[in-house]
Each structure stands twice: as structure tokens, then as C-alpha cells.
Amino acid sequence: MKLGKVEFCHFLQLIALVLCFSGMSQAELSRSGSKPYFQSGRSRTKRSWVWNQFFVLEEYMGSDPLYVGKLHSDVDKGDGSIKYILSGEGASSIFIIDENTGDIHATKRLDREEQAYYTLRAQALDRLSNKPVEPESEFVIKIQDINDNEPKFLDGPYTAGVPEMSPVGTSVVQVTATDADDPTYGNSARVVYSILQGQPYFSVEPKTGVIKTALPNMDREAKDQYLLVIQAKDMVGQNGGLSGTTSVTVTLTDVNDNPPRFPRRSYQYNVPESLPVASVVARIKAADADIGANAEMEYKIVDGDGLGIFKISVDKDTQEGIITIQKDLDFEAKTSYTLRIEAANKDADPRFLSLGPFSDTTTVKIIVEDVDEPPVFSSPLYPMEVSEATQVGNIIGTVAAHDPDSSNSPVRYSIDRNTDLERYFNIDANSGVITTAKSLDRETNAVHNITVLAMESQNPSQVGRGYVAITILDINDNAPEFAMDYETTVCENAQPGQVIQKISAVDKDEPSNGHQFYFSLTTDATNNHNFSLKDNKDNTASILTRRNGFRRQEQSVYYLPISIVDSGSPSLSSTNTLTIRVCDCDADGIAQTCNAEAYVLPAGLSTGALIAILACVLTLLVLILLIVTMRRRKKEPLIFDEERDIRENIVRYDDEGGGEEDTEAFDMAALRNLNVIRDTKTRRDVTPEIQFLSRPTFKSIPDNVIFREFIWERLKEADVDPCAPPYDSLQTYAFEGNGSVAESLSSLDSISSNSDQNYDYLSDWGPRFKRLADMYGTGQESLYS
């Protein structure tokens, strides 16, 4: 490979540097014998045995181990009596030492970016005694950096934006590259920036990496995006340096530098005259090369003969001007309209006002087209009135419609029967005269709203609609009647002249001056001795009693006929019957019961009370039945378990009362020893009135007498004991008699007393006592011989 002059000079400098460091190491080693070394048991002067650091180049790719340096002691005479030992970081694995010569070599490729230095310790030992002849010394092997890492853009690729039309030198974005080489040594980590792609629009500062605009008036509408390639090179950009690149996407952001412009100077639209109000006539749009808020526009009609007929608004999404109708169009009245419309940006940029006005105008001509329109009524609503007493066929009123078109076609009329289902009215097809077809009743329907259809004779599909409101006028054709169904009562103790009911009346008719009713009793009820009527002259009347002493047993209900007359012309009257019931009342005059049958019931009890009492009695009977059933199920026969030792304790359970004294435990020890005097136990909640004497002890008497006396004593105790429960109870006693006829069979007492008692009689008691007879009988000597 051929080297240039500059590369060759760098190579020579590198070799000289290595040789220089190697010479320094050798010189330092040769100075190590300047001072004697002090060892235990000897008096010597300590020599110098200290190294600062060695240097070795990284990324060595040779096949042989890389020579690092040499350790040497003045004690070493070269006869092999001294050996050198290396320890610390990388010893034996990365760095090895020749124990005879002290030469240090690196066996692996070193990378300063992984580890910049290694700390090791050196020692010189006597080969025979393996004792140090020099103190242990620590030194550093530093990895010398070479330019083996290229600059890298860790944050790339980049995206940035800059406004269009920005002046030269406007900052866009800053890029940064990092180099893993040693920044303190040489130029391996000194980076400079340059632009490889993106000129002449942008430039980059070599040292800082700041990208700036290089051309003025860059127009977004011409080109809105640029791709830049930025290079970072180490060695201050010199030849032989390493480099890295990144991309930067620069987008030009929009500014309002373009005014709106209409593509055409004039527009023309044809619309039918039947187009309803608020319909869209046309959409126009002024072109604006800007985007976003810079392209937002406002439209307005600045001139023309259609200012009151049309209006224009803006569509926020499309920025179009929408022309709509404000009033109905009529071809016969006006056939065309001319509008002058202006479009302008909402927000203009003062920097670009010199480019011209940021608005534009255009002319819109609207042609109204003639259409065959349906007939039109002279009035939108025809109010009419007719009496409910009018005869069938009488004329109510007339409607009129005409064809608005220039042809003025004849019109025929009809009634929309969906609005006149009962067919109360008819209309003349030619004249539009409305007449009655049935008798009318205001009380059934006071107002009839009907729709009249007007059709062109030449084109029946063209139908116009007119609306007629027919009000039915009232006549007095309904008699008055009670306003409600009255529930009138009178107390048995009512006094004469007492008001028992106030009545009023209603009338389905509605006279213009209002109702006026007159109340009176009918002729056959005028002379009754029970009730009277008073007309209050305010469309109400009061019913009063004429006597006292009403009795339900005699008559429980009275019927009072009342005549009501209205004030109509002619007046109408009706007879209404008021039902009055006789009731039993309390002191305040409030009715309690009005049925005559209540007298057969017990005094003071109503039917509801009797039902409640019967329900309670039935509930009690059911509860009693349930309690009896449950108690029967709980009763079980007393069963004694023969295998259970019932002699230990006798427990008495009192199921009904007694509290904590319900259960009483008996100590069987007192039952088994008849000679023990039992203390009388008394209940804590009862003071005994009789003091019991201690029971006599039982003497040696026959068994049947003993048992009888024992039971008799217990019976007397229970009879006179005030603490015993007041009902029969089961007592169980475990009593085994007064003692054995053989008395004590223990041999302990015999041995201690050395008695000569004869126990030969034990052999007569059977096989069970034979062993005792052999042990204590006369044949004892022969037994142990």
C-alpha cells in the first residue's frame, strides 16, 4: 500500500514515540540499583524499585506477543538466581512476564475504548529460597490510543422545520457527533462537520454542527422539503481521518405569502324558482397556495341586486363560499340576479403586503328558471264561523286560489278528507264555496280545521293547499245537571236547619254572558218534612234539615228531587235526584257507619274489629297446636346404657326453671362410705326452715336390712328437704353394702405384726383363693423348701 507524504510522516512520528517510551522504560529499570534493599536479619540500604507506567498501543494485530517493557533488579546478576512475578489486572491472561529476563508482553489485542489502563504489581524473588529480594512494586500499563473509532451521530437521523422565505443564516437545527477515541490525546476525537448534500440551500458550521439557510426566499409552494447529508470527520478533517454521516430532513413551514385569487372573473348559475329558502345556490372558492390558517378566507357580497335575496358564508373545512337563498324566488317577478363577491385572507402577514392586496373579487350571475307552480291561495288561513243550529247545505264561506304561472290555468277545489273524516262539509269544485253536509254539534267538536286542495285543470299533479278553521257557534241545547255525584249523609242527631250538603251544576253549553243556574225542589218534594233547599244565587244551593231525630231503623236512605234551570234563551231545566243516607255520627258530627245492618252487631264493635278478633284467636290456636306437637316430639324414654358406669356421678336435669340450680351433681364418695356424715346442702336462693341432724352410721347388719335402711334414709331426706324440687325425680344410688365377710385380705398387716394367724381356711373358698392359701397356710415351709 502506498503512503502519501503526510501519512508517512505520521507513521515515522508514531515509531519514534514507541521507541522513546521503550528507552525510558529501560533507563528507569537501569536506575533501580541506586539504593540498597533492607531485608529482615540483614542491614542493607533499600534500592529503588518503583515504576510509574508503561505504554502499549491498542489494536495490535501481529501474530507475536506485543512487547510492553522490562523489569530488572540490580540484585539480578544474570545467573538465573532471580525470578520475576507479575500479578494484578490482566496478569497471566493478558500480560505475561518472562520470570528469568523480566520481559513483559501482551498476548491479546487491547482496546482502549474497553479499558484505558491496567494496574499490576511486580516482585523479584530469590529462586532458591523463594523470598523477595525487592519489595513489591505497583505500576500501570496505559493503552495508547489510536484513531480506530469513527464519529457517530447518536441522535440521527434528524428532522427540522424552518419558515419559508427566511433570510440567509436562519438557524435550522444543530447536529452532534461523538467519537469514542481519547479526546486528550492527539486529534483522534476532534470532529469537524461538512455538508455533503443540500447545497446551495443550506450550510453547516464546521465546529458547532449548526445548520443554517444559505439561500433567500425559499418558497414552500415551489419545494417544501429538503434532504441534507451531514458528515462528521475526526483528525480535524485531515486526510486519514475517519468520518460518519447522518441525514437531516428539513421542511419549509408555511407563511401567508400568497393572496387568494378566484380562478374565474365571473360565474353563472341557474336555479329554479321553486327552490326553498335556505337552499344552496352555488359554491365558489378562491385559490390560495398557502395552507392551514394562512389559507383561511372570508367571503362577502360587496355589490349587486341580490343583497337581500342571497347571502354567502364560508365552509370551515373546504374554505368554499356557500351562496344560499334568503327569500322565495319568483320567475314572474325577477328572472336574474347579479352578485359581486369578495374573498380575503383572515390574517395577512405585513411582511408580504408589498406583493399586492390579499383579497380578490368575482361576479356571480344567478338565472331564475320558470317552473310549473301549484295554485296559490289568496290567504294562508281562512277563519269561518257557523252556528251549530245551521241547516244542512247552508253556505259557510268561500276560498280562492289562482295559478301563479303565466298560463293562469283554471283551478278546481276539493277537501282533503283526512282532515274531515266525518264529512261535515262540502266545497264547490269551481267556485270554492264551502257548505255544511251534516248537522253540527259544538259540544262534540267546537272547531273544525280542514285542508282545501286546489289543482290546476291542465296539470292535476300541481296541487296547492289552503287551510280553513271553522268555529261552531253555541246555542242553548243542553240542560244543566249536577256537577258531580254527591255522597250526602245526615246524622241521626242532626238539628233542624243544619246544612248537610252544598251542590252546584254544570252545563255543556257556553253562553256568551256565562251561566246562571236556579235551584229548587220539585213540586212533589216541596212539602216534605225532612229537608229543604236554599238557592245561594251564586250557581250553588244548600240542602238543610227540617227536623231532628233521624233513625236508620225507620229509614236509612232519602231521595230528594231537585230542579235546575239555566239562563239560556230559551232556558232549559232538568231534575236531578240527591241521595241522602242516615248515619251514626261521633261528637264532631263525622259519620261512623251508615248501614242499618250494623245494629245487629255487638255494641262498640264493627265488622272489621270482629274479623280482627277472629284472626287473632285463630293465630293463637295454631301456635298452641305447634307447641304441643313440639313437646311431644321432645319426650323420649329413659334408656340406660349398661356399659356406662352410672355410679360415678348422678346428674339431675331440671327442664322447667330453677336457673343455675337446675343441674346438681352428687358425689358418689358419700354413698360408698356409709359412715361419713353428710352435710346438709341447701339451695342458695332458699333459706331452709328445718335443720337436719346427722344420719346415724350403719352397723354390721344383714345386707337386706342395710339396703332397706339406706333407701329409707334417703326417702326421708327427700321428703323433709325444703331445697328438693317440687316434683318427682329419679335418684340412682350405687351402694355395695357394709363390707366383706372375709374382712381385709391384705398381707401387709400380717407381715408387719408377725402374727401366727392360720389362713388354711382360704383353700376352702375355691380355686381363686388357692394361691393365697398356699402362701399363708400351714404348708408354707414346704412351699419354700
Side-chain angles (χ1 to χ4, degrees):
M1 182 177 65
K2 296 181 180 180
L3 299 176
K5 291 182 180 181
V6 178
E7 287 84 359
F8 184 73
C9 291
H10 289 168
F11 182 74
L12 291 178
Q13 292 176 0
L14 184 60
I15 293 177
L17 183 62
V18 172
L19 293 177
C20 179
F21 284 131
S22 178
M24 289 173 59
S25 300
Q26 293 291 342
E28 189 170 357
L29 287 173
S30 64
R31 292 196 301 268
S32 62
S34 61
K35 295 181 181 180
Y37 170 62
F38 176 78
Q39 192 175 12
S40 178
R42 298 179 183 180
S43 178
R44 295 183 60 185
T45 303
K46 183 177 181 181
R47 297 184 180 91
S48 175
W49 176 257
V50 179
W51 297 269
N52 289 330
Q53 58 186 3
F54 291 101
F55 293 90
V56 59
L57 287 175
E58 66 171 336
E59 304 295 345
Y60 173 70
M61 302 298 293
S63 59
D64 297 330
L66 178 64
Y67 180 75
V68 178
K70 184 179 182 66
L71 299 178
H72 183 72
S73 174
D74 291 344
V75 180
D76 187 2
K77 303 303 181 181
D79 55 0
S81 61
I82 302 300
K83 69 175 180 179
Y84 298 94
I85 298 176
L86 192 65
S87 62
E89 290 182 310
S92 300
S93 59
I94 299 177
F95 303 101
I96 60 174
I97 187 170
D98 190 328
E99 66 178 12
N100 295 321
T101 63
D103 293 334
I104 301 175
H105 291 80
T107 61
K108 295 182 179 180
R109 180 179 65 86
L110 302 176
D111 188 357
R112 188 202 66 84
E113 285 71 41
E114 293 182 0
Q115 187 165 346
Y117 62 90
Y118 296 85
T119 302
L120 295 99
R121 295 180 297 277
Q123 197 170 25
L125 302 177
D126 185 273
R127 188 178 296 275
L128 296 178
S129 63
N130 205 29
K131 293 182 178 180
V133 297
E134 295 287 357
E136 186 179 62
S137 180
E138 185 176 88
F139 64 96
V140 174
I141 298 178
K142 186 174 181 181
I143 310 303
Q144 192 68 42
D145 182 52
I146 65 173
N147 189 18
D148 59 340
N149 290 277
E150 72 279 2
K152 294 182 179 180
F153 293 92
L154 301 180
D155 297 329
Y158 297 85
T159 57
V162 63
E164 62 175 333
M165 298 295 179
S166 296
V168 176
T170 302
S171 178
V172 179
V173 69
Q174 183 178 15
V175 296
T176 303
T178 58
D179 196 317
D181 292 325
D182 190 356
T184 64
Y185 175 74
N187 296 325
S188 299
R190 296 182 62 186
V191 178
V192 294
Y193 300 93
S194 61
I195 184 169
L196 301 182
Q197 178 181 325
Q199 297 172 329
Y201 306 102
F202 299 93
S203 63
V204 62
E205 292 188 356
K207 294 183 179 180
T208 62
V210 176
I211 299 173
K212 299 181 178 180
T213 58
L215 283 181
N217 301 328
M218 285 191 293
D219 191 1
R220 185 199 66 83
E221 288 73 33
K223 186 177 181 180
D224 62 346
Q225 198 171 79
Y226 297 85
L227 180 62
L228 283 62
V229 178
I230 306 299
Q231 181 190 64
K233 190 174 184 180
D234 60 13
M235 298 298 292
V236 202
Q238 297 178 2
N239 293 334
L242 303 178
S243 63
T245 61
T246 187
S247 64
V248 181
T249 302
V250 180
T251 302
L252 296 183
T253 59
D254 185 59
V255 297
N256 192 8
D257 59 338
N258 293 278
R261 292 291 181 263
F262 283 106
R264 298 166 56 182
R265 292 295 90 192
S266 64
Y267 298 86
Q268 180 175 315
Y269 298 95
N270 296 339
V271 296
E273 62 174 336
S274 59
L275 202 64
V277 174
S279 299
V280 176
V281 174
R283 285 175 174 264
I284 60 175
K285 183 178 182 181
D288 193 330
D290 297 323
I291 59 174
N294 296 322
E296 293 182 358
M297 283 176 284
E298 293 177 341
Y299 296 90
K300 61 181 179 179
I301 301 175
V302 295
D303 196 6
D305 56 0
L307 291 176
I309 307 299
F310 303 94
K311 73 173 183 177
I312 188 168
S313 59
V314 64
D315 188 331
K316 300 297 184 182
D317 297 329
T318 63
Q319 295 301 314
E320 292 178 310
I322 304 174
I323 302 174
T324 56
I325 301 175
Q326 285 186 293
K327 295 182 179 180
D328 290 326
L329 300 178
D330 188 359
F331 173 81
E332 287 72 27
K334 191 174 180 59
T335 59
S336 67
Y337 298 89
T338 301
L339 306 174
R340 187 165 183 81
I341 297 176
E342 179 187 72
N345 282 137
K346 294 179 64 176
D347 300 315
D349 195 330
R351 296 177 300 169
F352 306 105
L353 292 179
S354 59
L355 300 178
F358 277 75
S359 63
D360 194 16
T361 59
T362 188
T363 302
V364 177
K365 187 174 183 179
I366 300 173
I367 305 299
V368 180
E369 296 179 344
D370 185 26
V371 296
D372 189 5
E373 299 176 86
V376 177
F377 283 88
S378 58
S379 174
L381 177 65
Y382 294 89
M384 299 181 183
E385 293 181 348
V386 61
S387 173
E388 64 177 328
T390 188
Q391 299 296 320
V392 175
N394 285 355
I395 296 175
I396 301 175
T398 304
V399 297
H402 70 280
D403 183 6
D405 298 321
S406 57
S407 60
N408 195 16
S409 175
V411 175
R412 294 182 62 83
Y413 303 94
S414 64
I415 294 177
D416 185 357
R417 291 305 177 182
N418 291 325
T419 60
D420 184 25
L421 297 175
E422 300 294 332
R423 295 180 175 268
Y424 284 107
F425 307 98
N426 289 327
I427 188 170
D428 187 271
N430 298 316
S431 63
V433 174
I434 300 175
T435 59
T436 57
K438 283 185 177 181
S439 298
L440 303 177
D441 185 7
R442 189 203 65 83
E443 288 70 36
T444 303
N445 193 350
V447 177
H448 294 266
N449 293 305
I450 62 174
T451 301
V452 177
L453 306 178
M455 297 172 289
E456 292 183 10
S457 300
Q458 298 178 359
N459 187 5
S461 63
Q462 296 297 326
V463 178
R465 297 178 182 273
Y467 302 97
V468 180
I470 303 174
T471 302
I472 310 301
L473 301 179
D474 185 46
I475 63 172
N476 192 22
D477 59 344
N478 290 277
E481 58 187 10
F482 278 156
M484 59 181 294
D485 293 333
Y486 294 100
E487 295 182 1
T488 306
T489 60
V490 60
C491 296
E492 289 183 308
N493 56 357
Q495 300 296 322
Q498 181 177 344
V499 178
I500 62 173
Q501 182 68 60
K502 188 176 183 179
I503 61 175
S504 62
V506 294
D507 194 328
K508 294 180 181 180
D509 297 321
E510 291 185 1
S512 57
N513 296 326
H515 289 289
Q516 180 63 49
F517 301 116
Y518 305 96
F519 300 88
S520 64
L521 295 179
T522 61
T523 304
D524 55 348
T526 303
N527 298 322
N528 79 90
H529 303 287
N530 301 311
F531 305 99
S532 63
L533 182 144
K534 177 184 178 182
D535 193 337
N536 298 322
K537 307 301 182 180
D538 58 354
N539 289 342
T540 64
S542 299
I543 308 300
L544 297 86
T545 58
R546 301 185 67 176
R547 67 180 180 87
N548 57 2
F550 293 93
R551 295 180 59 80
R552 284 176 291 170
Q553 298 90 333
E554 297 177 357
Q555 185 174 349
S556 61
V557 179
Y558 292 88
Y559 300 99
L560 186 66
I562 299 174
S563 175
I564 307 175
V565 182
D566 62 15
S567 58
S569 179
S571 61
L572 298 179
S573 63
S574 66
T575 300
N576 299 265
T577 301
L578 182 66
T579 302
I580 304 174
R581 298 183 182 275
V582 180
C583 298
D584 178 30
C585 302
D586 57 12
D588 296 328
I590 299 175
Q592 299 297 315
T593 177
C594 299
N595 297 327
E597 295 80 11
Y599 281 94
V600 301
L601 299 177
L605 291 179
S606 63
T607 304
L610 291 177
I611 294 175
I613 294 173
L614 292 176
C616 293
V617 172
L618 182 61
T619 303
L620 290 175
L621 291 176
V622 172
L623 290 176
I624 293 172
L625 181 61
L626 289 175
I627 293 172
V628 172
T629 304
M630 295 300 295
R631 291 184 59 85
R632 287 182 178 179
R633 289 184 179 180
K634 288 182 179 180
K635 291 184 177 181
E636 296 180 356
L638 296 175
I639 301 176
F640 292 96
D641 189 0
E642 295 181 357
E643 297 179 358
R644 186 184 305 167
D645 187 5
I646 62 174
R647 297 173 299 172
E648 291 296 327
N649 285 304
I650 297 176
V651 181
R652 183 179 68 216
Y653 297 95
D654 295 337
D655 294 334
E656 300 177 5
E660 62 182 6
E661 295 294 331
D662 282 353
T663 303
E664 180 179 352
F666 295 89
D667 188 4
M668 291 302 300
L671 295 178
R672 290 176 177 172
N673 188 357
L674 299 180
N675 296 325
V676 176
I677 299 176
R678 297 179 58 189
D679 295 333
T680 302
K681 295 183 180 180
T682 60
R683 287 171 55 175
R684 291 189 292 270
D685 57 345
V686 178
T687 301
E689 299 177 355
I690 302 175
Q691 300 294 330
F692 291 96
L693 299 176
S694 60
R695 295 187 183 91
T697 58
F698 290 89
K699 299 180 179 180
S700 298
I701 54 180
D703 289 342
N704 57 346
V705 178
I706 292 174
F707 293 141
R708 185 170 58 253
E709 292 294 329
F710 175 80
I711 295 174
W712 179 251
E713 289 292 330
R714 297 300 183 273
L715 179 59
K716 288 192 299 181
E717 178 184 356
D719 289 339
V720 299
D721 187 2
C723 299
Y727 51 82
D728 295 338
S729 61
L730 177 65
Q731 301 284 351
T732 304
Y733 304 105
F735 179 64
E736 296 180 357
N738 196 26
S740 174
V741 295
E743 296 184 352
S744 176
L745 301 180
S746 174
S747 60
L748 297 177
D749 185 60
S750 301
I751 296 175
S752 61
S753 61
N754 294 322
S755 63
D756 295 331
Q757 183 178 357
N758 186 8
Y759 292 97
D760 290 342
Y761 66 91
L762 293 176
S763 59
D764 299 333
W765 287 8
R768 296 183 178 180
F769 297 90
K770 187 175 184 305
R771 183 64 175 174
L772 293 175
D774 293 341
M775 292 176 63
Y776 298 98
T778 55
Q780 184 177 2
E781 293 80 9
S782 62
L783 180 62
Y784 292 100
S785 59

